[in-house]
Amino acid sequence: MILLETRNLSKTYAGARGARVQAVSEVSLRLDAGEVLGVVGESGCGKSTLGRTILRLTEPTSGQILFKGQDITALSLRAMKPLRRDMQIIFQDPFGALNPRHKVGHILAEPLIVQRVGDAESRRARVLELLDLVGLPPEAAALYPHEFSGGQRQRIAIARALALDPALIVADEAVSALDVSIQSQIINLIAALRRRLGLAILFISHDLSVIRHVSDRIAVMYLGRIVEMGPTEAIMAAPQHPYTRALLSAIPRAGVERGQRIVLQGEVPDPAHPPAGCAFHSRCTQAMDICKLERPPLLRHATAPQEVACHLFP
């Protein structure tokens, strides 16, 4: 069952001196119920904007968003409210995402209050259930966010996202603000909750090594566009796009010499003035003349299961 689908979704911002900044450009993807799709790319590639736009936290400029078969692209805020129960987000910074004036018990009960779910007694029971679900003691309900470590605060943020039993969660860099020793705990928690609750997750990260541990499929973004998308195993074993290969080469792996890393030259182009043709051609060592003139569409690769936007693979 297709839970979420986007069709040519774009988000443009107004830039300096009348320029238009294309943060997300004509992104088409689907997410099945219970599936995890990892979205990966360098900082500024548009992956966080994509997640927020899908949830209508940021309004799309063009394209369509379909959730459970319903076009939600132009729904009013009132019409979106009941759908919010089924689509939640985990933000990057757990401290900034939690109200420091409220105790954890109130923070977890607030989604239930806003959506008018249950009475006071059932909400208290749900709060204790959520704390247990993410591995926190019942006593945590009486404490404030500042009394917890970063990893514990992220567990609270995850518990809040689960409060209404959503079908979809957007995890926006959910572990990047945490220490490396804590990241694995949160990744394992998200993976366990996904299996237990049957969640569909759009997992956004700049770290391909994190993405590969939690995702069924991977979408690689560059300058607002998806350049490669397919099963995790296929992309990790045989990446087709030169940009994906560079990202993969940056992951430390046993048996791979340091000199084999692909170091990209130059900077990511200005999204307010993107280059003609393939946006990656200015940093690609395999660029051809056609790459400077024509933007390659995202098409199924002839001999691999993934889709690739590259003129090297017609």
Side-chain angles (χ1 to χ4, degrees):
M1 172 186 171
I2 297 178
L3 179 69
L4 170 73
E5 185 178 4
T6 67
R7 299 174 180 172
N8 297 320
L9 186 64
S10 297
K11 175 61 183 178
T12 303
Y13 293 99
R17 299 178 181 178
R20 306 296 294 174
V21 179
Q22 194 81 18
V24 175
S25 183
E26 298 179 358
V27 169
S28 296
L29 56 80
R30 64 168 178 79
L31 180 63
D32 293 340
E35 182 186 32
V36 179
L37 175 64
V39 181
V40 66
E42 294 172 286
S43 296
C45 71
K47 54 189 185 296
S48 291
T49 302
L50 173 64
R52 291 168 178 264
T53 304
I54 285 173
L55 295 181
R56 291 280 309 280
L57 299 179
T58 298
E59 292 300 321
T61 303
S62 62
Q64 285 182 292
I65 308 165
L66 285 80
F67 184 70
K68 292 185 175 180
Q70 179 184 4
D71 189 347
I72 67 170
T73 314
L75 290 183
S76 66
L77 294 178
R78 176 175 293 183
M80 279 295 299
K81 184 177 179 179
L83 294 176
R84 298 289 183 199
R85 296 181 59 165
D86 264 347
M87 45 202 316
Q88 294 290 316
I89 186 169
I90 303 169
F91 293 100
Q92 177 177 353
D93 179 13
F95 192 74
L98 303 175
N99 192 328
R101 294 170 179 258
H102 291 165
K103 294 181 179 180
V104 168
H106 179 81
I107 290 172
L108 298 185
E110 189 172 18
L112 305 172
I113 296 170
V114 170
Q115 292 287 346
R116 299 181 181 179
V117 176
D119 54 19
E121 184 177 350
S122 65
R123 290 168 189 161
R124 282 193 293 270
R126 179 59 175 163
V127 167
L128 296 179
E129 180 184 352
L130 290 167
L131 289 173
D132 180 66
L133 196 61
V134 297
L136 293 175
E139 296 77 18
L143 302 178
Y144 290 93
H146 74 269
E147 298 180 86
F148 295 90
S149 67
Q152 289 173 323
R153 284 195 290 266
Q154 194 61 291
R155 288 174 184 267
I156 295 168
I158 292 171
R160 182 178 61 180
L162 296 173
L164 295 166
D165 289 321
L168 169 68
I169 286 183
V170 173
D172 185 11
E173 298 277 12
V175 298
S176 64
L178 305 176
D179 292 338
V180 174
S181 59
I182 305 300
Q183 285 186 8
S184 60
Q185 296 179 22
I186 300 301
I187 291 169
N188 291 336
L189 173 63
I190 291 174
L193 291 172
R194 174 265 180 112
R195 291 191 299 268
R196 179 175 176 179
L197 304 176
L199 295 168
I201 303 175
L202 190 73
F203 196 97
I204 297 168
S205 177
H206 65 275
D207 191 339
L208 195 53
S209 63
V210 170
I211 288 286
R212 69 176 175 178
H213 285 297
V214 296
S215 304
D216 300 306
R217 290 187 299 121
I218 294 175
V220 181
M221 286 191 72
Y222 186 81
L223 209 66
R225 294 180 179 271
I226 293 179
V227 296
E228 185 168 357
M229 181 164 55
T232 299
E233 297 83 358
I235 289 181
M236 297 304 297
Q240 301 299 316
H241 197 282
Y243 179 60
T244 311
R245 290 174 178 170
L247 291 180
L248 187 59
S249 74
I251 302 176
R253 290 181 293 168
V256 178
E257 297 181 7
R258 190 172 184 178
Q260 293 178 263
R261 178 175 176 181
I262 301 172
V263 180
L264 296 176
Q265 302 299 320
E267 299 293 330
V268 178
D270 183 357
H273 303 92
C278 174
F280 186 63
H281 82 258
S282 60
R283 306 174 73 193
C284 181
T285 59
Q286 298 174 272
M288 304 175 291
D289 289 340
I290 192 174
C291 301
K292 303 175 184 179
L293 302 174
E294 295 182 17
R295 180 184 297 123
L298 186 68
L299 298 174
R300 180 74 64 185
H301 187 275
T303 60
Q306 59 257 54
E307 298 170 88
V308 189
C310 182
H311 289 300
L312 290 171
F313 308 103

